[in-house]
Amino acid sequence: MWQDNSAAYGASSSQSQYYPQQPVAPQPGVPLQFYAPSPVGSTFYTGSRSSLEGHVGAQGSIQPGGAPGYGGSIQPAGGWWTAFGTGGFEGEPPLLEELGINFSHIRAKSLAVLNPLRKVDEHIMDDADLAGPLLFVFCFGTFLLFSGKPQFGYIYGVGVLGSLSIYTLLNLMSEKGIDAYRVVSVLGYCLLPMVAVGALSVVVTLDGMLGYVLSTLSILWCTYAASGIFVAVLRMSDQRLLLAYPIGLLYGCFALLSVFNVGVGGGSAK
């Protein structure tokens, strides 16, 4: 009976399109075989895929061996600096430029601050960035730390409150208006003379006549440069003195932080 059922199953399965081979009759002592492999080979796994075969050349280029139109280019491995490049993609900007760090723009704006007597281009802040201001603020705080005056908290507080105040004042005084991003960028770039005073405080004690003179000159320099940029961008030439007064107060606070050690006297008194 078992053999008859197997023959019936084989006869019914021979009609299937998935198993076109002939059924194998069972033999005594041989396990039942449900599938007999084709002597030629499997039609589902051909053993070679001509469309995916290729040959890697000496420079890393892949030459298609089968179907045309499939290929690529493998860039040779380089140093760690290759992470800041384009990676071989045409038209792809560098990573630093995508992050808003453009050293040529930082250099041009820094030179405009260091030479405030030169005429300022009104489009100098069309491409505003915070990479230079953050660098200058960090250097200013680091120099004060090396001179024994850890003032990072005061620098942050004065910078935020001063930037918000100047931003509000500029939008009230000008017809054109300006965004807070550009205000912070201008004030940060014009902090560069104050950074130089902070660097001098590492080797020279500024709590004296020399420090008072240098801090006063840095305040005037920063104020003149920042007011000149704001006047050129917002076309407020008739209001420069009114604009320079609050800006001078802001940089005066930074000068006080570079001359005096804020908070140390109160801590020692305790």
Side-chain angles (χ1 to χ4, degrees):
M1 178 181 294
W2 177 77
Q3 294 180 355
D4 295 340
N5 292 336
S6 301
Y9 173 78
S12 61
S13 62
S14 63
Q15 303 299 328
S16 176
Q17 58 179 348
Y18 299 104
Y19 302 95
Q21 67 275 5
Q22 297 296 328
V24 179
Q27 299 179 1
V30 179
L32 184 61
Q33 297 180 0
F34 292 95
Y35 174 73
S38 177
V40 178
S42 176
T43 57
F44 298 98
Y45 304 96
T46 59
S48 64
R49 295 172 291 178
S50 60
S51 62
L52 298 180
E53 289 180 348
H55 304 282
V56 181
Q59 300 296 330
S61 60
I62 300 177
Q63 302 294 334
Y70 294 91
S73 177
I74 300 177
Q75 297 294 333
W80 58 269
W81 56 87
T82 57
F84 300 95
T86 59
F89 297 98
E90 296 182 358
E92 184 75 13
L95 177 61
L96 294 178
E97 185 176 347
E98 290 184 352
L99 295 176
I101 303 175
N102 195 326
F103 291 105
S104 61
H105 291 180
I106 294 176
R107 178 177 175 272
K109 296 172 185 176
S110 300
L111 292 178
V113 174
L114 294 177
N115 188 11
L117 298 178
R118 186 179 60 181
K119 183 179 180 181
V120 180
D121 187 9
E122 62 180 3
H123 300 288
I124 190 173
M125 281 299 154
D126 289 348
D127 185 18
D129 65 283
L130 292 181
L134 290 177
L135 177 62
F136 295 157
V137 170
F138 179 77
C139 291
F140 181 63
T142 304
F143 288 145
L144 294 185
L145 179 63
F146 288 161
S147 63
K149 299 188 261 312
Q151 312 286 12
F152 285 100
Y154 290 100
I155 292 174
Y156 176 77
V158 171
V160 171
L161 293 179
S163 299
L164 291 177
S165 302
I166 299 300
Y167 165 73
T168 304
L169 184 63
L170 288 174
N171 284 276
L172 292 176
M173 294 177 61
S174 64
E175 299 178 358
K176 187 177 180 181
I178 190 173
D179 57 310
Y181 190 81
R182 285 178 170 80
V183 172
V184 175
S185 180
V186 172
L187 295 177
Y189 273 109
C190 294
L191 190 67
L192 185 56
M194 199 69 63
V195 176
V197 175
L200 290 176
S201 66
V202 179
V203 294
V204 178
T205 302
L206 298 181
D207 193 2
M209 185 58 63
L210 178 63
Y212 301 156
V213 173
L214 291 178
S215 59
T216 302
L217 291 177
S218 64
I219 293 173
L220 295 177
W221 196 338
C222 296
T223 303
Y224 189 84
S227 61
I229 294 177
F230 283 130
V231 165
V233 173
L234 299 177
R235 299 176 182 178
M236 301 169 55
S237 57
D238 297 335
Q239 301 173 338
R240 182 165 186 174
L241 293 177
L242 295 176
L243 186 61
Y245 176 70
I247 295 176
L249 294 178
L250 173 61
Y251 288 115
C253 295
F254 287 113
L256 293 176
L257 294 177
S258 62
V259 173
F260 302 103
N261 200 347
V262 180
V264 174
S268 60
K270 294 180 182 179

PDB file of all heavy atoms in Angstrom, residues 77-96:
ATOM      1  N   ALA A  77      43.286  55.071  -1.283  1.00  0.00           N
ATOM      2  CA  ALA A  77      43.238  55.525   0.103  1.00  0.00           C
ATOM      3  C   ALA A  77      44.354  56.522   0.373  1.00  0.00           C
ATOM      4  O   ALA A  77      45.465  56.398  -0.141  1.00  0.00           O
ATOM      5  CB  ALA A  77      43.365  54.324   1.047  1.00  0.00           C
ATOM      6  N   GLY A  78      44.042  57.546   1.187  1.00  0.00           N
ATOM      7  CA  GLY A  78      45.027  58.563   1.522  1.00  0.00           C
ATOM      8  C   GLY A  78      45.118  58.755   3.015  1.00  0.00           C
ATOM      9  O   GLY A  78      44.675  57.923   3.808  1.00  0.00           O
ATOM     10  N   GLY A  79      45.669  59.883   3.426  1.00  0.00           N
ATOM     11  CA  GLY A  79      45.820  60.199   4.834  1.00  0.00           C
ATOM     12  C   GLY A  79      44.540  60.715   5.449  1.00  0.00           C
ATOM     13  O   GLY A  79      43.477  60.735   4.825  1.00  0.00           O
ATOM     14  N   TRP A  80      44.670  61.162   6.712  1.00  0.00           N
ATOM     15  CA  TRP A  80      43.483  61.641   7.422  1.00  0.00           C
ATOM     16  C   TRP A  80      42.945  62.929   6.825  1.00  0.00           C
ATOM     17  O   TRP A  80      41.785  63.253   7.001  1.00  0.00           O
ATOM     18  CB  TRP A  80      43.830  61.859   8.892  1.00  0.00           C
ATOM     19  CG  TRP A  80      44.951  62.841   9.098  1.00  0.00           C
ATOM     20  CD1 TRP A  80      46.273  62.573   9.186  1.00  0.00           C
ATOM     21  CD2 TRP A  80      44.844  64.273   9.206  1.00  0.00           C
ATOM     22  NE1 TRP A  80      47.004  63.711   9.352  1.00  0.00           N
ATOM     23  CE2 TRP A  80      46.148  64.787   9.368  1.00  0.00           C
ATOM     24  CE3 TRP A  80      43.775  65.167   9.182  1.00  0.00           C
ATOM     25  CZ2 TRP A  80      46.406  66.144   9.495  1.00  0.00           C
ATOM     26  CZ3 TRP A  80      44.034  66.522   9.305  1.00  0.00           C
ATOM     27  CH2 TRP A  80      45.341  66.990   9.471  1.00  0.00           C
ATOM     28  N   TRP A  81      43.792  63.654   6.088  1.00  0.00           N
ATOM     29  CA  TRP A  81      43.326  64.928   5.520  1.00  0.00           C
ATOM     30  C   TRP A  81      42.349  64.726   4.366  1.00  0.00           C
ATOM     31  O   TRP A  81      41.706  65.670   3.942  1.00  0.00           O
ATOM     32  CB  TRP A  81      44.526  65.744   5.054  1.00  0.00           C
ATOM     33  CG  TRP A  81      45.401  65.019   4.081  1.00  0.00           C
ATOM     34  CD1 TRP A  81      45.270  64.952   2.722  1.00  0.00           C
ATOM     35  CD2 TRP A  81      46.551  64.231   4.401  1.00  0.00           C
ATOM     36  NE1 TRP A  81      46.242  64.175   2.175  1.00  0.00           N
ATOM     37  CE2 TRP A  81      47.054  63.720   3.177  1.00  0.00           C
ATOM     38  CE3 TRP A  81      47.200  63.904   5.589  1.00  0.00           C
ATOM     39  CZ2 TRP A  81      48.183  62.900   3.128  1.00  0.00           C
ATOM     40  CZ3 TRP A  81      48.321  63.092   5.528  1.00  0.00           C
ATOM     41  CH2 TRP A  81      48.799  62.599   4.316  1.00  0.00           C
ATOM     42  N   THR A  82      42.273  63.496   3.836  1.00  0.00           N
ATOM     43  CA  THR A  82      41.324  63.259   2.754  1.00  0.00           C
ATOM     44  C   THR A  82      39.875  63.361   3.224  1.00  0.00           C
ATOM     45  O   THR A  82      38.972  63.493   2.411  1.00  0.00           O
ATOM     46  CB  THR A  82      41.566  61.878   2.142  1.00  0.00           C
ATOM     47  OG1 THR A  82      41.461  60.889   3.187  1.00  0.00           O
ATOM     48  CG2 THR A  82      42.940  61.783   1.516  1.00  0.00           C
ATOM     49  N   ALA A  83      39.656  63.276   4.546  1.00  0.00           N
ATOM     50  CA  ALA A  83      38.289  63.430   5.057  1.00  0.00           C
ATOM     51  C   ALA A  83      37.765  64.845   4.862  1.00  0.00           C
ATOM     52  O   ALA A  83      36.558  65.067   4.864  1.00  0.00           O
ATOM     53  CB  ALA A  83      38.234  63.069   6.542  1.00  0.00           C
ATOM     54  N   PHE A  84      38.653  65.823   4.701  1.00  0.00           N
ATOM     55  CA  PHE A  84      38.237  67.209   4.501  1.00  0.00           C
ATOM     56  C   PHE A  84      38.185  67.580   3.024  1.00  0.00           C
ATOM     57  O   PHE A  84      37.974  68.731   2.682  1.00  0.00           O
ATOM     58  CB  PHE A  84      39.198  68.159   5.224  1.00  0.00           C
ATOM     59  CG  PHE A  84      39.249  67.929   6.704  1.00  0.00           C
ATOM     60  CD1 PHE A  84      40.223  67.112   7.266  1.00  0.00           C
ATOM     61  CD2 PHE A  84      38.311  68.497   7.534  1.00  0.00           C
ATOM     62  CE1 PHE A  84      40.265  66.882   8.623  1.00  0.00           C
ATOM     63  CE2 PHE A  84      38.339  68.278   8.894  1.00  0.00           C
ATOM     64  CZ  PHE A  84      39.316  67.468   9.440  1.00  0.00           C
ATOM     65  N   GLY A  85      38.374  66.630   2.124  1.00  0.00           N
ATOM     66  CA  GLY A  85      38.321  66.891   0.699  1.00  0.00           C
ATOM     67  C   GLY A  85      36.953  66.581   0.137  1.00  0.00           C
ATOM     68  O   GLY A  85      35.962  66.394   0.843  1.00  0.00           O
ATOM     69  N   THR A  86      36.884  66.495  -1.189  1.00  0.00           N
ATOM     70  CA  THR A  86      35.625  66.245  -1.873  1.00  0.00           C
ATOM     71  C   THR A  86      35.352  64.770  -2.063  1.00  0.00           C
ATOM     72  O   THR A  86      34.238  64.384  -2.382  1.00  0.00           O
ATOM     73  CB  THR A  86      35.632  66.931  -3.250  1.00  0.00           C
ATOM     74  OG1 THR A  86      36.732  66.414  -4.017  1.00  0.00           O
ATOM     75  CG2 THR A  86      35.788  68.423  -3.088  1.00  0.00           C
ATOM     76  N   GLY A  87      36.352  63.909  -1.896  1.00  0.00           N
ATOM     77  CA  GLY A  87      36.138  62.482  -2.048  1.00  0.00           C
ATOM     78  C   GLY A  87      35.954  62.033  -3.470  1.00  0.00           C
ATOM     79  O   GLY A  87      35.488  60.926  -3.719  1.00  0.00           O
ATOM     80  N   GLY A  88      36.299  62.872  -4.439  1.00  0.00           N
ATOM     81  CA  GLY A  88      36.212  62.463  -5.830  1.00  0.00           C
ATOM     82  C   GLY A  88      34.913  62.814  -6.508  1.00  0.00           C
ATOM     83  O   GLY A  88      34.732  62.498  -7.682  1.00  0.00           O
ATOM     84  N   PHE A  89      33.964  63.431  -5.827  1.00  0.00           N
ATOM     85  CA  PHE A  89      32.700  63.809  -6.427  1.00  0.00           C
ATOM     86  C   PHE A  89      32.839  65.179  -7.081  1.00  0.00           C
ATOM     87  O   PHE A  89      33.198  66.151  -6.411  1.00  0.00           O
ATOM     88  CB  PHE A  89      31.575  63.838  -5.378  1.00  0.00           C
ATOM     89  CG  PHE A  89      31.292  62.499  -4.759  1.00  0.00           C
ATOM     90  CD1 PHE A  89      31.835  62.165  -3.531  1.00  0.00           C
ATOM     91  CD2 PHE A  89      30.509  61.568  -5.416  1.00  0.00           C
ATOM     92  CE1 PHE A  89      31.583  60.940  -2.955  1.00  0.00           C
ATOM     93  CE2 PHE A  89      30.250  60.332  -4.852  1.00  0.00           C
ATOM     94  CZ  PHE A  89      30.794  60.014  -3.628  1.00  0.00           C
ATOM     95  N   GLU A  90      32.531  65.254  -8.335  1.00  0.00           N
ATOM     96  CA  GLU A  90      32.657  66.508  -9.064  1.00  0.00           C
ATOM     97  C   GLU A  90      31.568  67.477  -8.612  1.00  0.00           C
ATOM     98  O   GLU A  90      30.403  67.107  -8.496  1.00  0.00           O
ATOM     99  CB  GLU A  90      32.551  66.253 -10.565  1.00  0.00           C
ATOM    100  CG  GLU A  90      33.675  65.387 -11.123  1.00  0.00           C
ATOM    101  CD  GLU A  90      33.557  65.214 -12.610  1.00  0.00           C
ATOM    102  OE1 GLU A  90      32.581  65.744 -13.176  1.00  0.00           O
ATOM    103  OE2 GLU A  90      34.423  64.546 -13.206  1.00  0.00           O
ATOM    104  N   GLY A  91      31.971  68.715  -8.379  1.00  0.00           N
ATOM    105  CA  GLY A  91      31.028  69.735  -7.945  1.00  0.00           C
ATOM    106  C   GLY A  91      30.689  69.710  -6.480  1.00  0.00           C
ATOM    107  O   GLY A  91      29.898  70.528  -6.016  1.00  0.00           O
ATOM    108  N   GLU A  92      31.249  68.773  -5.719  1.00  0.00           N
ATOM    109  CA  GLU A  92      30.976  68.686  -4.286  1.00  0.00           C
ATOM    110  C   GLU A  92      31.881  69.650  -3.530  1.00  0.00           C
ATOM    111  O   GLU A  92      33.099  69.599  -3.656  1.00  0.00           O
ATOM    112  CB  GLU A  92      31.228  67.263  -3.797  1.00  0.00           C
ATOM    113  CG  GLU A  92      30.886  67.036  -2.341  1.00  0.00           C
ATOM    114  CD  GLU A  92      29.391  66.957  -2.100  1.00  0.00           C
ATOM    115  OE1 GLU A  92      28.644  66.832  -3.089  1.00  0.00           O
ATOM    116  OE2 GLU A  92      28.980  67.018  -0.943  1.00  0.00           O
ATOM    117  N   PRO A  93      31.334  70.584  -2.731  1.00  0.00           N
ATOM    118  CA  PRO A  93      32.183  71.530  -1.994  1.00  0.00           C
ATOM    119  C   PRO A  93      32.925  70.826  -0.875  1.00  0.00           C
ATOM    120  O   PRO A  93      32.497  69.777  -0.391  1.00  0.00           O
ATOM    121  CB  PRO A  93      31.174  72.554  -1.439  1.00  0.00           C
ATOM    122  CG  PRO A  93      29.889  71.798  -1.363  1.00  0.00           C
ATOM    123  CD  PRO A  93      29.895  70.822  -2.509  1.00  0.00           C
ATOM    124  N   PRO A  94      34.042  71.377  -0.434  1.00  0.00           N
ATOM    125  CA  PRO A  94      34.781  70.768   0.674  1.00  0.00           C
ATOM    126  C   PRO A  94      33.957  70.748   1.952  1.00  0.00           C
ATOM    127  O   PRO A  94      32.985  71.488   2.116  1.00  0.00           O
ATOM    128  CB  PRO A  94      36.019  71.677   0.810  1.00  0.00           C
ATOM    129  CG  PRO A  94      36.137  72.371  -0.502  1.00  0.00           C
ATOM    130  CD  PRO A  94      34.734  72.530  -1.010  1.00  0.00           C
ATOM    131  N   LEU A  95      34.379  69.889   2.867  1.00  0.00           N
ATOM    132  CA  LEU A  95      33.641  69.724   4.118  1.00  0.00           C
ATOM    133  C   LEU A  95      33.654  70.999   4.953  1.00  0.00           C
ATOM    134  O   LEU A  95      32.653  71.377   5.550  1.00  0.00           O
ATOM    135  CB  LEU A  95      34.240  68.560   4.914  1.00  0.00           C
ATOM    136  CG  LEU A  95      33.618  68.290   6.295  1.00  0.00           C
ATOM    137  CD1 LEU A  95      32.149  67.956   6.162  1.00  0.00           C
ATOM    138  CD2 LEU A  95      34.366  67.172   6.998  1.00  0.00           C
ATOM    139  N   LEU A  96      34.814  71.684   5.005  1.00  0.00           N
ATOM    140  CA  LEU A  96      34.900  72.909   5.797  1.00  0.00           C
ATOM    141  C   LEU A  96      33.978  73.993   5.251  1.00  0.00           C
ATOM    142  O   LEU A  96      33.399  74.771   6.009  1.00  0.00           O
ATOM    143  CB  LEU A  96      36.348  73.407   5.829  1.00  0.00           C
ATOM    144  CG  LEU A  96      37.348  72.506   6.551  1.00  0.00           C
ATOM    145  CD1 LEU A  96      38.750  73.098   6.473  1.00  0.00           C
ATOM    146  CD2 LEU A  96      36.942  72.314   8.004  1.00  0.00           C
TER     147      LEU A  96
END
